[in-house]
Amino acid sequence: MYYYVSGQVAHVEPYLAVIDCGGVGYACRTTSYTLSQIKKGDRAKLFTYLSVREDAMDLYGFYSQEELKLFQQLISVSGVGPKAALAILSSTTPTNLAMSIITGDEKSLTAAQGVGKKIAQRVILELKDKLAKGQTISGSGESISGPAVTVIPQNKLSEASAALAVLGYSQAEINLALKGIDTDALPLEQIIRMALKNMMKG
């Protein structure tokens, strides 16, 4: 229903940002990462996800489309609700979270408040499986078929490609962004960061 909200940041508190859009304050549940990127009184654009339940309607807002896509991926996992997804996203940056999922780093996921080992394992298993099948999660929670991505943990190029796919980029965009990067010499995190910068330039 809402793609994004844009306006003045009227109020912030833990896990919440209120965006004033033409005199209407939209209360967006959000992450520590998004809150670190905005400031009360300044203008901001948050990409949104509307959760509709029988007893409530909650709007979630994120500083970047990449973080929104990761949120949608997380809530598609069995047993992971919006609250847990926000906690996981608040514990790190979107890029680092993507790398944790691809590399099977349970410890990074369990650093999030209220997230135990079983949930962390489920997140890693379910999202890696979707990634291996070349699927991206849509706003409705349905999977959309796309180009298959082969994940080879020992290959930094494959790990970087997989991490970028988790963020919602197509294989064509990923291949173009990785072109010219020395994937053999550079550490994985730097490869991903350089690829993201290349995408922003494009």
Side-chain angles (χ1 to χ4, degrees), residues 27-76:
C28 300
R29 299 181 186 277
T30 191
T31 65
S32 297
Y33 174 77
T34 287
L35 290 174
S36 71
Q37 303 299 311
I38 63 178
K39 184 179 179 182
K40 184 177 178 180
D42 289 349
R43 290 190 62 82
K45 176 193 284 187
L46 298 186
F47 295 94
T48 55
Y49 175 86
L50 181 63
S51 173
V52 181
R53 304 193 308 274
E54 288 185 7
D55 59 342
M57 286 179 60
D58 293 316
L59 188 64
Y60 295 84
F62 304 92
Y63 185 72
S64 68
Q65 289 178 300
E66 290 74 27
E67 191 179 24
L68 169 61
K69 289 171 184 174
L70 272 175
F71 174 79
Q72 293 172 333
Q73 294 267 16
L74 287 168
I75 61 175
S76 76

Side-chain angles (χ1 to χ4, degrees), residues 2-193:
Y2 300 107
Y3 188 76
Y4 65 79
V5 293
S6 178
Q8 187 178 57
V9 181
H11 176 74
V12 294
E13 61 183 69
Y15 294 106
L16 182 71
V18 178
I19 308 298
D20 186 332
C21 304
V24 178
Y26 289 86
C28 300
R29 299 181 186 277
T30 191
T31 65
S32 297
Y33 174 77
T34 287
L35 290 174
S36 71
Q37 303 299 311
I38 63 178
K39 184 179 179 182
K40 184 177 178 180
D42 289 349
R43 290 190 62 82
K45 176 193 284 187
L46 298 186
F47 295 94
T48 55
Y49 175 86
L50 181 63
S51 173
V52 181
R53 304 193 308 274
E54 288 185 7
D55 59 342
M57 286 179 60
D58 293 316
L59 188 64
Y60 295 84
F62 304 92
Y63 185 72
S64 68
Q65 289 178 300
E66 290 74 27
E67 191 179 24
L68 169 61
K69 289 171 184 174
L70 272 175
F71 174 79
Q72 293 172 333
Q73 294 267 16
L74 287 168
I75 61 175
S76 76
V77 175
S78 175
V80 178
K83 186 177 179 180
L86 287 185
I88 292 171
L89 284 165
S90 290
S91 66
T92 185
T93 65
T95 300
N96 288 340
L97 176 58
M99 287 193 291
S100 296
I101 292 170
I102 294 304
T103 58
D105 186 358
E106 294 176 16
K107 189 175 181 181
S108 292
L109 295 178
T110 55
Q113 186 177 0
V115 177
K117 187 174 181 179
K118 288 185 178 180
I119 291 293
Q121 290 175 336
R122 197 176 300 146
V123 167
I124 291 168
L125 288 173
E126 291 194 25
L127 294 188
K128 285 182 74 171
D129 182 57
K130 287 183 172 70
L131 180 62
K133 293 178 181 177
Q135 296 177 339
T136 302
I137 304 304
S138 71
S140 63
E142 298 176 345
S143 61
I144 304 172
S145 296
V149 178
T150 302
V151 181
I152 306 173
Q154 291 79 14
N155 187 315
K156 284 189 288 184
L157 179 60
S158 295
E159 288 188 9
S161 295
L164 292 166
V166 168
L167 290 173
Y169 292 105
S170 70
Q171 194 59 49
E173 291 174 319
I174 292 168
N175 291 340
L176 187 62
L178 290 172
K179 188 176 180 180
I181 298 176
D182 190 348
T183 54
D184 291 327
L186 297 172
L188 179 61
E189 184 175 352
Q190 189 172 347
I191 292 169
I192 294 172
R193 292 187 187 282

